[in-house]
Amino acid sequence: MILFAVTAIAVGVLFVFMSNLSRDMRKDKKKLNNTISLLNVVRMKYVNVTKAVDYVADKYDVESSYKLLYVWEQYLEAVKEKEKFEKNNEDLEYFTGRLIRLLKQAGLYDCKIWLTQTSALVNKDERIEIRHNLVERRSKVRDRMEENTKAVKSERDEIDRLMREHHYYVPEILEIIDSVDKICGLNKYKNVS
């Protein structure tokens, strides 16, 4: 009977031990499944982050985080420069308008020409240089105008000669010559007929 009791107790202990083991195995299996699903989530996040990093590296042509940081700092510096440029541009527009108003009050003929030659407003030597350049330009323009006027006169003389010889279309030719004379500022054409 003792042997039977010891066997029954041993079987009971083994049964309890086995049921605890099977319950622990079920818990461990659930934990293992949860761990596997968490591992899969982490792997997916890792893949997504790796792809994002590769995309940024390709987009900005960088191989390391140091180079990306350098590119980022360059970008921030460029943004600051752009803001500074815009502010300076606004200041320039404001002071340009102010200068034009002051020059108009001074009674200057063409105020906008002085925007490119502001140093001449202050420096007498610059004014003399600009005056010299303007005189040269004026003389060149006058010479060109005289050459063009001579060319028009010689062509007009040739037309006069042809009209005297042929007497064709004289009224139409005279009308064209009058319009050319008005444009060129020449004396009014005298009738040749």
Side-chain angles (χ1 to χ4, degrees):
M1 219 32 198
I2 293 181
L3 187 60
F4 183 68
V6 170
T7 307
I9 291 175
V11 168
V13 168
L14 274 175
F15 178 74
V16 170
F17 183 70
M18 288 296 283
S19 66
N20 282 340
L21 271 177
S22 78
R23 190 175 26 154
D24 287 344
M25 280 181 53
R26 281 193 304 265
K27 284 182 182 178
D28 289 343
K29 207 175 219 183
K30 283 184 180 179
K31 286 182 182 179
L32 180 64
N33 287 338
N34 285 339
T35 304
I36 289 172
S37 67
L38 288 174
L39 182 63
N40 288 339
V41 168
V42 168
R43 282 182 182 165
M44 290 299 291
K45 286 184 179 181
Y46 173 77
V47 167
N48 289 338
V49 168
T50 305
K51 284 185 178 182
V53 168
D54 289 342
Y55 171 76
V56 170
D58 288 342
K59 182 177 178 181
Y60 295 109
D61 192 31
V62 293
E63 293 86 28
S64 67
S65 63
Y66 297 112
K67 191 168 181 185
L68 182 62
L69 181 64
Y70 174 74
V71 169
W72 176 251
E73 289 172 354
Q74 293 291 348
Y75 169 75
L76 291 178
E77 189 174 317
V79 167
K80 286 179 184 176
E81 287 294 321
K82 181 181 177 189
E83 290 172 355
K84 185 178 177 183
F85 175 77
E86 288 174 353
K87 184 185 179 306
N88 288 343
N89 197 23
E90 289 172 2
D91 290 346
L92 180 65
E93 288 177 6
Y94 169 75
F95 286 112
T96 300
R98 189 171 172 194
L99 177 63
I100 288 175
R101 286 190 299 275
L102 288 172
L103 293 173
K104 282 182 181 178
Q105 288 175 358
L108 293 176
Y109 174 69
D110 189 8
C111 300
K112 291 185 180 180
I113 193 100
W114 292 102
L115 294 177
T116 58
Q117 302 168 353
T118 53
S119 61
L121 293 172
V122 179
N123 190 350
K124 185 176 182 179
D125 294 334
E126 285 286 327
R127 278 196 302 268
I128 292 170
E129 182 68 28
I130 288 173
R131 174 179 267 167
H132 177 69
N133 290 341
L134 288 174
V135 168
E136 285 181 6
R137 282 178 52 199
R138 187 181 302 147
S139 68
K140 288 179 183 177
V141 169
R142 282 183 183 157
D143 291 344
R144 254 188 278 141
M145 286 174 59
E146 287 177 12
E147 289 175 13
N148 291 341
T149 303
K150 286 178 185 176
V152 168
K153 284 183 181 179
S154 69
E155 293 297 321
R156 198 173 99 198
D157 291 342
E158 180 66 22
I159 291 172
D160 287 344
R161 187 186 63 76
L162 290 173
M163 283 188 341
R164 271 187 256 145
E165 290 177 5
H166 300 290
H167 296 291
Y168 299 157
Y169 305 110
V170 172
E172 291 87 2
I173 294 173
L174 289 175
E175 186 177 320
I176 293 170
I177 290 175
D178 283 339
S179 65
V180 170
D181 285 346
K182 287 178 185 176
I183 292 172
C184 294
L186 298 173
N187 294 335
K188 185 138 177 116
Y189 182 80
K190 298 175 184 167
N191 287 341
V192 177
S193 52

